[in-house]
Amino acid sequence: MLEALSIKTSAREEIVNITEQIQRVVGARGVEAGMVWVYTPHTTTGITIQEGADPDVRSDLLAHLRHLVPRDGRFRHAEGNSDAHIKSALIGASQAIPIEQGRLLLGTWQAIFFCEFDGPRSRRVLVQVMGNK
Amino acid sequence: MLEALSIKTSAREEIVNITEQIQRVVGARGVEAGMVWVYTPHTTTGITIQEGADPDVRSDLLAHLRHLVPRDGRFRHAEGNSDAHIKSALIGASQAIPIEQGRLLLGTWQAIFFCEFDGPRSRRVLVQVMGNK
Amino acid sequence: MLEALSIKTSAREEIVNITEQIQRVVGARGVEAGMVWVYTPHTTTGITIQEGADPDVRSDLLAHLRHLVPRDGRFRHAEGNSDAHIKSALIGASQAIPIEQGRLLLGTWQAIFFCEFDGPRSRRVLVQVMGNK
């Protein structure tokens, strides 16, 4: 039941709309009522559900996370990406979305986003669907 | 299996205890062992599990979120509610709680809260229950 | 299907790797494909998925959370641990991880961590497994 999606990010920080890919997996599974989990197996990324209409909402989110967790903070981790790990812990590694009549029950303004905090890189997202057919 | 609850908030920012309503849905479903998901379909709200006893915990949380994400920050989103979107991303759109013997397995001090960050408004919360009867 | 783990923390703030204990529960359940939920029933703790290799990542995370939510902030809650409640709300009470072929589908660098923000104390973690045998 598990599906892996490939995502290629193109900047150090980027928020990528993956709603359609998740809907496609849900549709292919044929689950009428249940839940889907969108999970990132990386430690410098996150999954969030946010407004999909105005791209300024995403750039405000990225900019404010940079303000809260500056890249050049006093960190011990030698790889220079502690900010990305901390942003990842604040946003979270997964989101769960209800399914009804075979479709994601997102609100009118909601979309599912993959958050890259240490790109550009090739990334994977795991999608698990559970429920009744 | 999915249920929608209606919530009316009465201030721009408010943390509403919805534990009893969630327990009622879980009880009505007759699921003995499993999980419940509490999901907000809005992009300027969140769901959190926190202490239910002392209301000062919730006011401290709201006040500190205002400090971390000031409403008058330098944001691009023209609607003037970027702070609410960012708080929503930090708190998260859903919570999952285990069910045993037909009851929420919350800790002694835990309660489930709907977080309004851009009210007052009429809001909805979706509740999904999965498990064995 | 639900299991409770005991954790003894040894400092006010500590991040404890619980990956092996979670894998043991998943293995004992015999679920081949599904999900596991790791849930803390306390209000001054959290569960996060982060890098398990370099311990500096965890100490950077704890130090930066202390910076974002100082213990001596202006809080109303009289118990003096509002910072711990707020960190708990930012990190979250649970994590969900996919299972395939009876094993946690964590990424190469990922591990599951219990976050103590108001220890040292004796704590519990609840583990729920759902899926197909």
Side-chain angles (χ1 to χ4, degrees), chain A residues 114-129:
Chain A
F114 177 84
C115 304
E116 172 68 82
F117 297 123
D118 193 30
R121 298 208 212 181
S122 292
R123 302 290 202 174
R124 283 194 322 144
V125 168
L126 307 179
V127 187
Q128 182 72 288
V129 183

Side-chain angles (χ1 to χ4, degrees), chain C residues 13-127:
Chain C
E13 298 190 336
E14 189 179 354
I15 297 190
V16 184
N17 191 332
I18 56 173
T19 315
E20 275 184 42
Q21 293 163 74
I22 307 300
Q23 180 58 63
R24 218 172 298 139
V25 173
V26 169
R29 287 291 167 273
V31 164
E32 282 298 306
M35 295 289 293
V36 58
W37 292 271
V38 183
Y39 180 87
T40 172
H42 310 286
T43 57
T44 51
T45 66
I47 308 289
T48 192
I49 296 175
Q50 253 305 316
E51 186 185 304
D54 180 0
D56 283 349
V57 171
R58 276 103 81 194
S59 57
D60 283 344
L61 174 59
L62 280 184
H64 200 75
L65 285 173
R66 268 195 300 273
H67 170 70
L68 290 175
V69 193
R71 189 174 180 180
D72 56 1
R74 287 218 235 134
F75 298 120
R76 295 168 63 175
H77 182 48
E79 289 179 37
N81 61 354
S82 275
D83 66 313
H85 288 292
I86 295 166
K87 288 168 194 166
S88 164
L90 291 175
I91 294 298
S94 73
Q95 294 288 339
I97 305 108
I99 300 168
E100 202 174 51
Q101 297 185 305
R103 292 197 60 81
L104 295 168
L105 259 188
L106 292 166
T108 315
W109 303 106
Q110 285 183 325
I112 308 166
F113 293 100
F114 176 83
C115 304
E116 172 67 81
F117 296 123
D118 193 29
R121 297 209 212 180
S122 292
R123 301 290 202 173
R124 285 193 322 143
V125 168
L126 307 179
V127 188

Side-chain angles (χ1 to χ4, degrees), chain A residues 50-67:
Chain A
Q50 254 305 318
E51 186 186 303
D54 180 0
D56 283 347
V57 171
R58 277 103 81 193
S59 58
D60 282 344
L61 174 59
L62 280 184
H64 200 75
L65 285 172
R66 267 196 301 273
H67 170 69

Side-chain angles (χ1 to χ4, degrees), chain B residues 53-124:
Chain B
D54 181 0
D56 282 348
V57 172
R58 277 102 82 193
S59 58
D60 283 344
L61 174 59
L62 280 184
H64 200 75
L65 284 173
R66 269 195 300 271
H67 170 70
L68 290 175
V69 194
R71 189 173 181 182
D72 57 0
R74 287 218 234 133
F75 298 120
R76 295 169 63 175
H77 182 49
E79 289 179 39
N81 61 354
S82 274
D83 66 313
H85 288 293
I86 295 167
K87 288 168 194 166
S88 164
L90 291 176
I91 294 298
S94 73
Q95 295 288 339
I97 303 108
I99 300 169
E100 203 174 50
Q101 298 185 304
R103 292 197 59 81
L104 295 168
L105 259 187
L106 292 167
T108 316
W109 303 105
Q110 285 183 324
I112 308 166
F113 293 100
F114 177 83
C115 303
E116 171 68 81
F117 297 122
D118 194 29
R121 297 209 214 182
S122 292
R123 301 290 202 172
R124 282 193 323 142

